[in-house]
Amino acid sequence: MKGIFYRLGPVLLAAILSLGSYAAEAAVKLKVITSGGFAGTLTAMEPQLEKDTGLDIEISYGSSSGGAVDSIPERLKRGEQFDVLILSRSSLDKLTNKGFVTPDSRKDLVRSRIGMCVKAGTAIPDISTPENFIKVLHDAKTIGYSASASGTYLSTKLWPKMGLWQMIEPKSTRVLSKRVASLVADGQLEIGFQQISEILPIQGVELVGPIPDKFQKVTTFSSGVTKISGHPREAAALISYLSSDTPYVINSIRHAGLDPVAIK
């Protein structure tokens, strides 16, 4: 196990290695909730995380914002208890200001870009230039966008600024509690927009690519320990693991279509 963490500092290494001692007794259960931007990455990493740390990690899912009943802010308001939160930095900061998160526990994990997808087997439109991107928006019969960070940016900032919202709104769907790509896959939507990391795991769709740089918004996803966590030390060590520059973590993040913050 030390080989995996050879690039970590001595303090962090000692903290994470010490977690393994719990496995011989009773594994500490950490309840982690993540928004869609990091959901695929965390789910794929879960078996290795548990093996390396000796923790029993229970993962829940919810959007960073948007008001859905299963969104992270709404679940916290209802008193649901978690040890670790992973969501957009702006949403994490709002929850910190409301008293849900220990301020000095926050760490940035990844940067995420917005992508567009279409149903697998259909023609792949060209969105490589601003002009082509605008044409695709005009031609699409139905458009989907998320109720979380990426969709909020598109529907309240980008498209209105571009002067396109009046045209786009009537044929658009704001998707709550589901992946936009899943509605594209089953034919309910012609094109869909969401974080690239949320599109890639969905079967039945093709990632067209990121939207043009001129219109792109890079979202940072971050993590923090809740103030009501019963295991703050273990929660902090898990966050340090996820924000480290070890090869396993970096490769897992990149495989999910994300950019690790640990690599400048």
Side-chain angles (χ1 to χ4, degrees):
M1 179 168 64
K2 290 185 179 180
I4 296 175
F5 297 107
Y6 72 97
R7 296 183 66 184
L8 298 180
V11 174
L12 173 57
L13 177 59
I16 293 179
L17 289 176
S18 69
L19 295 180
S21 65
Y22 287 95
E25 300 172 8
V28 173
K29 175 176 282 190
L30 282 187
K31 299 182 71 174
V32 182
I33 187 165
T34 178
S35 64
F38 200 71
T41 310
L42 186 65
T43 301
M45 293 176 69
E46 181 181 8
Q48 190 67 46
L49 288 176
E50 293 187 331
K51 179 180 178 181
D52 291 344
T53 65
L55 295 168
D56 178 8
I57 299 172
E58 179 181 309
I59 303 175
S60 298
Y61 306 94
S63 60
S64 295
S65 58
V69 294
D70 58 351
S71 69
I72 295 174
E74 292 301 317
R75 294 176 75 167
L76 292 175
K77 286 179 187 177
R78 292 197 298 270
E80 292 191 44
Q81 297 189 353
F82 302 98
D83 297 290
V84 175
L85 309 181
I86 302 174
L87 64 168
S88 68
R89 181 68 195 223
S90 60
S91 296
L92 180 66
D93 289 345
K94 289 177 183 178
L95 293 175
T96 303
N97 293 337
K98 292 179 180 179
F100 290 109
V101 180
T102 302
D104 61 4
S105 72
R106 291 172 291 178
K107 287 191 177 182
D108 295 337
L109 305 180
V110 298
R111 297 184 183 92
S112 178
R113 296 178 183 274
I114 301 170
M116 191 186 97
C117 64
V118 296
K119 184 177 177 64
T122 61
I124 305 297
D126 179 7
I127 61 169
S128 61
T129 67
E131 294 76 19
N132 288 345
F133 179 65
I134 291 171
K135 183 178 186 304
V136 168
L137 292 173
H138 273 283
D139 293 346
K141 294 181 176 60
T142 54
I143 298 172
Y145 61 92
S146 80
S148 197
S150 62
T152 299
Y153 161 72
L154 293 171
S155 62
T156 66
K157 294 184 179 179
L158 178 63
W159 289 333
K161 182 179 179 181
M162 293 170 68
L164 300 176
W165 185 234
Q166 187 174 359
M167 177 272 294
I168 289 174
E169 185 177 17
K171 60 182 181 179
S172 293
T173 299
R174 180 173 178 264
V175 180
L176 291 162
S177 303
K178 292 183 179 181
R179 297 285 180 91
V180 175
S182 66
L183 301 187
V184 174
D186 65 18
Q188 294 185 51
L189 299 169
E190 182 179 345
I191 62 174
F193 296 92
Q194 202 158 25
Q195 306 290 345
I196 290 174
S197 61
E198 298 184 68
I199 294 173
L200 289 177
I202 305 301
Q203 298 293 318
V205 297
E206 293 285 347
L207 173 66
V208 176
I211 67 174
D213 288 344
K214 179 179 179 179
F215 305 131
Q216 185 64 251
K217 176 180 173 60
V218 178
T219 299
T220 298
F221 285 86
S222 308
S223 188
V225 180
T226 63
K227 283 191 174 181
I228 61 172
S229 172
H231 307 287
R233 184 171 71 94
E234 292 82 1
L238 177 64
I239 292 172
S240 293
Y241 177 106
L242 293 172
S243 61
S244 72
D245 64 352
T246 59
Y248 171 70
V249 172
I250 297 302
N251 290 337
S252 297
I253 288 171
R254 285 178 169 160
H255 182 73
L258 299 164
D259 297 319
V261 170
I263 303 296
K264 304 300 183 185

